Amino acid sequence: MARNKIALVGAGNIGGTLAHLAGLKELGDVVLFDVVEGMPQGKALDIAESSPVDSFDSRLTGANDYSALAGADVVIVTAGIARKPGMSRDDLLAINAKIVGQVADGIKTHCPDAFVIVITNPLDVMVGLMQKFSGLKPEKVVGMAGVLDSARFRYFIAEALNVSVEDVTAFVLGGHGDTMVPLARYSTVAGIPLTDLVEMGWLTQEKLDQIIQRTRDGGAEIVSLLKTGSAFYAPAASAIQMAEAYLKDKKRVLPCAAKLSGQYGVDGLYVGVPVVIGEGGVERIVEIELNEEEKAAFLHSVDAVKKLNEALSV
Ligand code: TXD
């Protein structure tokens, strides 16, 4: 059986890390694409030269021409400009919208059957544009944000309670950004909801609230430390988990930006919700009952995504 092909559009910090992880996990052959000449070729060669040491077989190449995307099974899109300190995700809107339009054309022409994972910010808007411009079915176009946001939430909870990250699950809804909605009663330590852990005295409500806020600000915290770009290790790991779920038909239940068609009272908009990812792409959207407070927070988040979409069409 031929190897899968993974195309990475954007070979910057996240793109390079994606290529390395895809190689290490033997997900398939990898093409790194970028507008910068030489850089994707150099990164691909460098990672390929690590393969004998780490014992993985993957053909890694770099490209500056969209024809290199031909036949890709998965495309992960990071092309765009990353946040600089003081810049909001929304400042990136106009610049990245244009870039995503070009990438969508490339995908439509060269690999219209691919599963497309968008990472470029502002995420919820960019993934919507990708689906619109590429004309691919909504189930084949998703956005990565929820896996990252919930990983941050899980890490902070595990650290606070001194338990393994493996035993912490987290549930995050809504748009990627300051309005994201971490749901404490659906986030657990070994199945025990965080709300129960507060009652059990493991965690104070105040500490939990602090962690929720830190999760919301997780991206900005890294930006202010790095000063020259945004997070890339955890975002890359998160997108690779989504790609793997598709390529191996794992039916993972993961929070992703998916196009809603009536779920949660939202129609025709990409928002972060739990979905099942398998060979069909987004095979199912998980719709849970929200209480009044959660519903209000979710709608606030949806509103923020809508406003950004409107800003773009003005
Ligand atoms: O949770 C999430 N979704 C995110 C999103 C978490 C972290 C970062 N997130 C966003 O991902 C970030 O705000 C950026 O919009 C993207 C990519 O982040 P990265 O850190 O990888 O940015 P880089 O290192 O600047 O890489 C971007 C590359 C760079 O090499 C450019 O030359 C290239 O994109 N680029 C293009 N590639 C192809 N085609 C076009 N038109 C193009 N324009 C720029």
Side-chain angles (χ1 to χ4, degrees):
M1 213 174 27
R3 283 189 205 144
N4 287 315
K5 176 169 174 179
I6 299 141
L8 307 172
V9 182
N13 280 338
I14 299 180
T17 313
L18 286 169
H20 195 195
L21 289 174
L24 286 170
K25 288 177 176 264
E26 287 195 328
L27 291 186
D29 291 338
V30 176
V31 173
L32 265 169
F33 171 96
D34 206 287
V35 286
V36 179
E37 284 182 21
M39 187 267 278
Q41 290 84 352
K43 286 195 181 185
L45 182 59
D46 189 12
I47 297 167
E49 288 168 355
S50 79
S51 64
V53 182
D54 279 322
S55 307
F56 62 84
D57 287 299
S58 167
R59 222 173 93 79
L60 287 122
T61 48
N64 304 109
D65 190 303
Y66 276 109
S67 60
L69 269 56
D73 299 288
V74 169
V75 183
I76 308 181
V77 182
T78 58
I81 309 295
R83 270 201 289 174
K84 313 252 170 347
M87 239 175 130
S88 80
R89 290 185 178 91
D90 307 350
D91 294 335
L92 304 174
L93 189 63
I95 307 171
N96 286 353
K98 204 171 149 213
I99 294 174
V100 164
Q102 294 163 359
V103 179
D105 269 353
I107 291 173
K108 191 175 167 181
T109 309
H110 298 287
C111 52
D113 295 323
F115 180 56
V116 180
I117 302 170
V118 177
I119 302 187
T120 306
N121 266 332
L123 190 268
D124 304 276
V125 178
M126 292 304 138
V127 63
L129 290 180
M130 173 60 74
Q131 195 264 322
K132 190 170 141 192
F133 293 148
S134 67
L136 268 61
K137 290 195 199 110
E139 55 268 32
K140 297 301 277 295
V141 181
V142 282
M144 188 294 293
V147 176
L148 171 66
D149 293 334
S150 57
R152 286 176 173 152
F153 194 31
R154 291 170 65 192
Y155 174 70
F156 298 146
I157 293 287
E159 189 190 33
L161 297 181
N162 199 21
V163 297
S164 166
V165 289
E166 280 184 59
D167 296 319
V168 183
T169 65
F171 198 112
V172 179
L173 272 181
H176 181 49
D178 314 331
T179 60
M180 73 178 89
V181 188
L183 292 190
R185 70 191 177 103
Y186 284 110
S187 304
T188 76
V189 174
I192 309 164
L194 296 184
T195 40
D196 287 12
L197 287 165
V198 170
E199 278 169 32
M200 287 155 62
W202 278 47
L203 192 66
T204 62
Q205 184 63 46
E206 194 190 358
K207 180 71 187 168
L208 177 57
D209 291 343
Q210 271 171 14
I211 288 177
I212 289 177
Q213 194 53 44
R214 190 173 176 200
T215 303
R216 287 203 181 101
D217 298 336
E221 184 176 1
I222 304 277
V223 168
S224 69
L225 288 167
L226 293 181
K227 297 186 181 71
T228 55
S230 51
F232 54 100
Y233 292 112
S238 303
I240 287 290
Q241 188 172 64
M242 293 163 66
E244 194 172 14
Y246 173 75
L247 291 169
K248 298 187 178 169
D249 189 27
K250 283 178 76 79
K251 319 280 188 205
R252 292 286 321 258
V253 184
L254 299 171
C256 303
K259 192 170 188 176
L260 300 185
S261 53
Q263 299 90 346
Y264 297 96
V266 178
D267 197 13
L269 197 70
Y270 269 86
V271 191
V273 290
V275 303
V276 176
I277 297 191
E279 63 177 345
V282 175
E283 296 183 347
R284 200 164 160 187
I285 290 177
V286 183
E287 189 176 9
I288 56 155
E289 267 313 309
L290 299 178
N291 64 30
E292 286 309 312
E293 197 185 330
E294 293 159 351
K295 212 177 279 172
F298 180 73
L299 289 178
H300 176 59
S301 185
V302 169
D303 251 11
V305 178
K306 274 190 190 151
K307 285 209 178 86
L308 270 188
N309 271 308
E310 283 159 14
L312 200 60
S313 49
V314 176

